[in-house]
Amino acid sequence: MKVLVVEDDQFHGAYLQDALVEALPEMTEIIQSSDGEAGEDEARRGAIEAIVMDLQMNRRNGIEAARAIWSERPQTRILFWSNYADEAYLRGIAQIVPEDSAYGYILKTASRERLKLALRAVLIEGQIMVDREIQRLQKSQTSPRTRIEDSEFAVLIDLALGLQDKLIAERRSMSLRTVQNRLLSLYEKLGVVSELDEDLALNKRVRALNRALFTRTINIEILDAAQRDLDKWLASRR
Amino acid sequence: MKVLVVEDDQFHGAYLQDALVEALPEMTEIIQSSDGEAGEDEARRGAIEAIVMDLQMNRRNGIEAARAIWSERPQTRILFWSNYADEAYLRGIAQIVPEDSAYGYILKTASRERLKLALRAVLIEGQIMVDREIQRLQKSQTSPRTRIEDSEFAVLIDLALGLQDKLIAERRSMSLRTVQNRLLSLYEKLGVVSELDEDLALNKRVRALNRALFTRTINIEILDAAQRDLDKWLASRR
DNA sequence: AGAGGTGTTGCGGGTTCCCGCAACCAGTTT
DNA sequence: AAACTGGTTGCGGGAACCCGCAACACCTCT
């Protein structure tokens, strides 16, 4: 059994290799890639079935790589391991995960024992395993007061890219007024209206992006990928 | 001689300890802190003279910690080591570095040899040492076409926090029109006017923040600190 | 069938933003 | 002294944004 590790931090990569050797005696080979693109190539070439994937990488992030890999081989088992429990990652993964595939999401701060457990559960047993921290994050989104719906999230992404209302409306196929309604509820849910100083006037658009970044509702990797999607859409529009 | 290490990633911390032991035989003790606040306390308690400081930390970032430490003991020698060569960090450090103090800035991707060299040069010899990557960054800012002046940077920060023009003008003591002029040149320098699609209308404010984040002119840690400054200013205003 | 909740859309208007134009004030060059 | 350069400020107007109000569609519950 071959395992592919996609990880751009050498220290974390070494630690992971170590844990892999301990946890998976049935493993015959470890292949290492240092960014998403190289990881994709390796997965294609080696017909890999088990992957450990970092999410935050320079050239191409883990979610995009996973999407490409899964679209070719949906039965591939992928354990994501990441520094942060970012809501943006969760949404990204939820959107691309194929039916009946095995995946997991574990934080880098998890203990070695928990990491080894996750490695066995996902890569060998084909289970789905999500870190407690991340589960907690999902729970906190059950309240309709604070939960950001997918349709709102899409508008948030476009806002963050700097699109104007009219263009968002066109891209997401809604009326101008509907876009503005979504923005309204986003401002509400992100706490744009300045908790303390009620009377303090802010630029709501920028503030929304600011809050979304701090609450880790979105992050730079996700925006980077979204920008590429936008470019594609723009090119196809004309 | 005691050395304080302020670093929240356990792997990086362990690697650093290792390198310290090799590079500095005159060292008698290593003290480890995992965030800026704890680091400050340790520096105060132990009367530390040599510090290695990560910049990106959760509770309190390295620049703020360094400012506090230097304000009490300006002769303290600090080697910053960071994942990224962010312009925002450079500006932050440049503003707080005391006269005649020794400091350095090295990237985590630097080789072990270079790290050890920097450790000796800064902590023992009291030299100033800046990573080549970072030097290169500074060089690229010499052209007045692209270099962002400090006054522009201040406006950029306020923009990123979500302040409106009027409030920025008040805070930075300029007229409304001057603020808008600064914004104008920021839009220019950050490349807000959509390189390819000239006719594509964007929300310039949001786009400016977006670009500034991607070019690493600012980053989230800096914004976090700036938010606290803003809160203080707001409190003092009334 | 009727009531109530939720989401979408148009209209209208107050506010903020973006920026061209022009005046003004150093400081520097010719 | 005159001209030039770069930064600051006021005025004014068009565009974008924010949002209250009201109409309508669709769904669910009684």
Side-chain angles (χ1 to χ4, degrees), chain A residues 174-178 181-182 203:
Chain A
M174 5 179 180
S175 81
L176 195 62
R177 193 61 185 83
T178 301
N181 277 338
R182 293 279 149 79
N203 181 306

Side-chain angles (χ1 to χ4, degrees), chain B residues 58-78:
Chain B
N58 267 336
R59 266 213 302 171
R60 175 150 200 178
N61 74 47
I63 291 180
E64 289 181 291
R67 175 163 54 188
I69 291 167
W70 266 333
S71 76
E72 289 178 24
R73 305 172 60 89
Q75 78 286 9
T76 310
R77 295 168 177 178
I78 304 183

Side-chain angles (χ1 to χ4, degrees), chain B residues 174-178 181-182 201 203:
Chain B
M174 359 178 182
S175 82
L176 194 63
R177 194 63 186 80
T178 301
N181 277 337
R182 293 279 149 79
N203 182 305

Side-chain angles (χ1 to χ4, degrees), chain A residues 220, chain B residues 86-88 148 153 156-157 159-160 186 190-192 205-219 223:
Chain A
I220 298 196
Chain B
D86 283 13
E87 194 186 328
I148 292 176
F153 190 76
L156 175 59
I157 292 288
L159 177 147
L186 277 172
L190 289 170
V192 165
R205 293 196 145 224
V206 174
R207 191 66 186 173
L209 174 50
N210 182 308
R211 298 308 306 155
L213 286 168
F214 273 99
T215 58
R216 298 200 164 279
T217 306
I218 58 180
N219 59 34
L223 282 185

Side-chain angles (χ1 to χ4, degrees), chain A residues 13-32:
Chain A
Y15 173 79
L16 188 54
Q17 287 222 7
D18 222 44
L20 268 168
V21 170
E22 277 184 35
L24 273 59
E26 49 271 83
M27 185 176 56
T28 56
E29 188 182 356
I30 296 183
I31 302 167
Q32 188 112 19

